[in-house]
Amino acid sequence: MGEAAPDIAIIGAGIGGLVAAALLHRAGFPVRVYEQAREFQRLGAGIQQSPNAVKVLRGLGIEGRVREVAYAPDAINHRDGYTGALKYERKIGAFIEQKYNAPHLLLHRGDLHAAIASCLPENCLRLGHRLESLSETADGVTLDFVGGANARADIVIGADGVHSTVRDLVFGKTPGRFTGRVAWRTIFPASLLPNPTVAETTKWWGRDRHIVIYFTKPDRSEVYFVTSTPEPNYSVESWSAVGDMEQLRAAYADFHPDVRAVLASCPAAHKWALLERDPMPQWSTRRVTLLGDACHPMTPYMAQGAATAMEDAMVLARCLAQFPEDGLHRYQETRKARTAMIQNASGRNDLDNFKAVAEAVYGYDATAVELAA
Ligand SMILES: Cc1cc2nc3c(=O)[nH]c(=O)nc-3n(C[C@H](O)[C@H](O)[C@H](O)COP(=O)(O)OP(=O)(O)OC[C@H]3O[C@@H](n4cnc5c(N)ncnc54)[C@H](O)[C@@H]3O)c2cc1C
């Protein structure tokens, strides 16, 4: 890329925004990332990196680093929440690695974020910059931030998450539909458990709720859980809202003793209301586009929100590098059908649906997929 490479501004330094920044920088674009937070916080959350996501990490050159900090069990078990009966053993480990030429990893979200952030060029990150407004003209995009700072760019990527300001400003507000359910989640030291076997990688299915429990470190020193729990009167979508552990324990009081042991050992948890949104018909203009939760937020039941944001970033970087004239449009057209499929599939939280789409979800390779004409 020569001197004429367009200036790119990315709004949001979450997982998708950072992957995009690193890949675009590598492709030769001048990139700046504007993030509202004043510092990165290590959120107490686990994250699954399925083979389609690991292929993006490989493209970034950090697969090895991420493997070193991740837990890679042989299987994810699906069990009846009350009896513990095995409903389905989903083999991962060596089996999935052979099948898709990439592993399925479980790790701390903060470790993943730090690994991706290590790929950023120096001085590209502007913390404490909350986008307030933007204006697109034929010549470029101006950006105004809370507090009076402003900037200009040739291309703007809104990677600013489920409450995206870029999306609201450019495409209009799209309110979500509250599902009446809440995801409780936390990470805590496994030394608090009565024994480690109670927290081995399992999705426990109840009649109207579930809980997923797994380790997030190779030495099994940290345990994570995330739930889908009915709570019709709580609709706050936030990473920082804290819940009452007694309420959570009561919600799983009739579950298998292993689940109750994990909840009894856990000191504190956060809760995130689960909202659904329909796929957007378009998310690119000539100079502005969206990626990740900003354009296709999904319920976390298939653990694909970050994975698809990372795929977006890879496809977007390839489109901009290869097609400077209409890269944003090609990116949107390459990604729309896939992300709509996963958004819809994620909304149906059932095992048969999961098995039906797993091949398509995990088999995708954003580094090689054909780009739309
Ligand atoms: C409980 C739960 C469990 C999940 N588990 C998984 C999983 O196992 N695997 C998986 O792949 N996905 C999972 N997801 C989904 C995943 O967390 C999201 O899809 C992913 O974080 C989206 O990444 P993103 O970069 O699009 O947005 P985000 O990670 O939300 O980042 C957006 C960034 O933009 C910043 N920002 C927002 N507004 C502004 C503004 N106006 N100006 C400047 N900056 C701004 C924010 O501060 C933030 O840093 C889970 C989600 C939940 C809720």
Side-chain angles (χ1 to χ4, degrees):
M1 190 69 56
E3 278 183 6
D7 269 314
I8 299 181
I10 297 175
I11 311 301
I15 288 168
L18 290 190
V19 173
L23 292 172
L24 287 164
H25 166 70
R26 187 180 299 174
F29 294 93
V31 182
R32 276 153 301 140
V33 184
Y34 297 96
E35 164 60 44
Q36 63 180 358
R38 297 200 174 277
E39 58 181 359
F40 289 140
Q41 283 183 350
R42 195 172 156 82
L43 279 174
I47 195 151
Q48 300 193 36
Q49 290 281 275
S50 46
N52 50 315
V54 174
K55 284 183 181 159
V56 179
L57 297 174
R58 188 176 294 164
L60 275 172
I62 52 170
E63 180 187 355
R65 173 176 170 159
V66 172
R67 278 182 188 252
E68 276 173 20
V69 293
Y71 184 52
D74 289 335
I76 297 177
N77 292 317
H78 292 253
R79 293 188 182 278
D80 181 283
Y82 311 102
T83 66
L86 187 65
K87 292 157 81 81
Y88 173 53
E89 182 195 41
R90 182 156 73 86
K91 287 194 191 134
I92 53 172
F95 172 81
I96 210 162
E97 186 148 3
Q98 203 169 18
K99 185 165 183 191
Y100 297 112
N101 185 30
H104 189 123
L105 304 172
L106 313 175
L107 70 159
H108 196 301
R109 189 190 174 89
D111 288 337
L112 177 67
H113 194 267
I116 298 169
S118 73
C119 304
L120 285 187
E122 262 180 49
N123 300 323
C124 90
L125 185 60
R126 306 280 188 278
L127 293 170
H129 279 68
R130 180 179 172 78
L131 183 78
E132 195 169 33
S133 67
L134 68 74
S135 157
E136 178 179 358
T137 67
D139 301 327
V141 187
T142 53
L143 301 164
D144 294 301
F145 298 92
V146 172
N150 51 62
R152 183 207 161 274
D154 297 312
I155 289 174
V156 172
I157 300 168
D160 49 347
V162 67
H163 303 297
S164 172
T165 302
V166 180
R167 179 194 59 217
D168 290 355
L169 291 168
V170 178
F171 300 98
K173 278 188 190 292
T174 48
R177 292 181 299 279
F178 177 46
T179 60
R181 319 186 132 266
V182 168
W184 291 75
R185 51 121 196 131
T186 195
I187 288 190
F188 64 97
S191 56
L192 297 176
L193 296 170
N195 72 69
T197 58
V198 295
E200 196 51 84
T201 328
T202 304
K203 180 164 182 174
W204 300 87
W205 294 84
R207 282 178 287 275
D208 63 348
R209 64 201 63 199
H210 74 244
I211 179 166
V212 180
I213 304 172
Y214 57 81
F215 296 107
T216 56
K217 293 276 184 195
D219 61 0
R220 307 201 301 177
S221 57
E222 278 183 357
V223 58
Y224 169 66
F225 66 73
V226 58
T227 79
S228 172
T229 313
E231 192 172 337
N233 299 320
Y234 185 84
S235 59
V236 182
E237 244 177 340
S238 155
W239 284 115
S240 53
V242 180
D244 171 3
M245 277 308 297
E246 285 312 314
Q247 183 193 348
L248 178 59
R249 290 182 188 121
Y252 290 82
D254 55 354
F255 265 55
H256 188 272
D258 283 4
V259 174
R260 285 187 275 131
V262 170
L263 296 180
S265 314
C266 166
H270 287 74
K271 55 199 241 187
W272 168 291
L274 295 167
L275 275 75
E276 287 175 323
R277 293 171 178 87
D278 295 328
M280 290 174 70
Q282 62 157 346
W283 64 65
S284 290
T285 66
R286 179 145 179 267
R287 293 182 177 279
V288 181
T289 194
L290 305 174
L291 69 70
D293 278 4
C295 50
H296 47 72
M298 54 186 76
T299 50
Y301 302 144
M302 291 196 67
Q304 285 298 312
T308 49
M310 295 162 66
E311 292 175 357
D312 285 349
M314 176 59 79
V315 171
L316 176 57
R318 289 177 57 209
C319 285
L320 283 173
Q322 289 182 41
F323 305 104
E325 284 305 309
D326 62 350
L328 298 191
H329 184 68
R330 283 182 190 249
Y331 151 68
Q332 170 192 289
E333 292 308 308
T334 307
R335 295 293 297 152
K336 237 171 36 179
R338 173 169 175 80
T339 55
M341 180 275 282
I342 299 179
Q343 232 178 331
N344 288 329
S346 291
R348 291 197 304 278
N349 183 28
D350 77 76
L351 202 44
D352 289 338
N353 165 60
F354 171 77
K355 289 183 199 169
V357 298
E359 183 73 35
V361 171
Y362 297 154
Y364 186 88
D365 184 354
T367 67
V369 72
E370 190 178 340
L371 305 178

